[in-house]
Amino acid sequence: MRIVYAATKEQEEYIENLIRYFYSHVFPRYFDDDQIKQFEYLQVLSLSNNDYNGTMREALQMISSLQSLLTIIECIEVNGVNEEYRHMFERNVRLLEQHGILFPFTIDQFQKKRPFIFSMYSPPSNDWVM
């Protein structure tokens, strides 16, 4: 008999928050709205249709992979791409793919930010409507 611990509701919500962060803060810096819409259609970073069984181990692996990808992307903005970043990026993409989560990007796609970010996916700068 094998005992498996289920992921907590908070862990699963945190995974969803990280995925929303990618769509609202990361993708608009590098891709235009048409491309991001295509990512949604292709179910990039989608938890539906995946091999995630809801175990705590899987949830923690997905959280750490998503956090690592965010950190690597932020680091290459400042330091550029080196082999260590490339290796860590590819390793975390593979970990996500093991759970059926599609992340079809290379580290090179995150080297150059768009000069002007105007996207329907970006969060509003304020909540006031005038």
Side-chain angles (χ1 to χ4, degrees):
M1 181 185 327
R2 183 174 175 198
I3 297 174
V4 177
Y5 295 100
T8 65
K9 178 182 164 193
E10 291 81 8
Q11 288 171 323
E12 291 182 348
E13 287 173 359
Y14 188 62
I15 293 169
E16 289 288 340
N17 288 338
L18 287 170
I19 291 170
R20 276 194 298 276
Y21 186 83
F22 266 97
Y23 274 94
S24 63
H25 291 84
V26 177
F27 291 160
R29 289 189 285 183
Y30 301 96
F31 306 103
D32 62 30
D33 284 355
D34 291 334
Q35 291 172 306
I36 298 171
K37 194 174 290 193
Q38 186 69 21
F39 300 159
E40 287 179 328
Y41 176 76
L42 295 172
Q43 296 185 338
V44 171
L45 289 177
S46 174
L47 290 178
S48 61
N49 299 328
N50 62 30
D51 297 330
Y52 173 58
N53 295 318
T55 67
M56 186 174 289
R57 178 175 185 214
E58 291 172 328
L60 292 173
Q61 283 179 338
M62 289 190 314
I63 288 169
S64 66
S65 292
L66 291 168
Q67 287 176 333
S68 296
L69 288 170
L70 285 171
T71 302
I72 294 165
I73 290 168
E74 291 172 358
C75 286
I76 63 173
E77 288 176 7
V78 176
N79 303 324
V81 177
N82 63 37
E83 287 307 309
E84 183 179 351
Y85 289 153
R86 187 176 302 278
H87 174 71
M88 287 188 298
F89 186 91
E90 291 169 358
R91 180 177 182 272
N92 285 289
V93 169
R94 279 194 308 272
L95 283 171
L96 289 175
E97 288 174 350
Q98 287 176 358
H99 300 295
I101 297 175
L102 179 64
F103 193 80
F105 305 105
T106 64
I107 194 169
D108 298 321
Q109 291 175 286
F110 297 100
Q111 278 187 305
K112 186 175 179 188
K113 290 169 67 171
R114 292 174 54 207
F116 182 70
I117 302 169
F118 184 73
S119 174
M120 67 181 198
Y121 292 94
S122 296
S125 56
N126 61 43
D127 293 331
W128 292 76
V129 177
M130 301 202 146

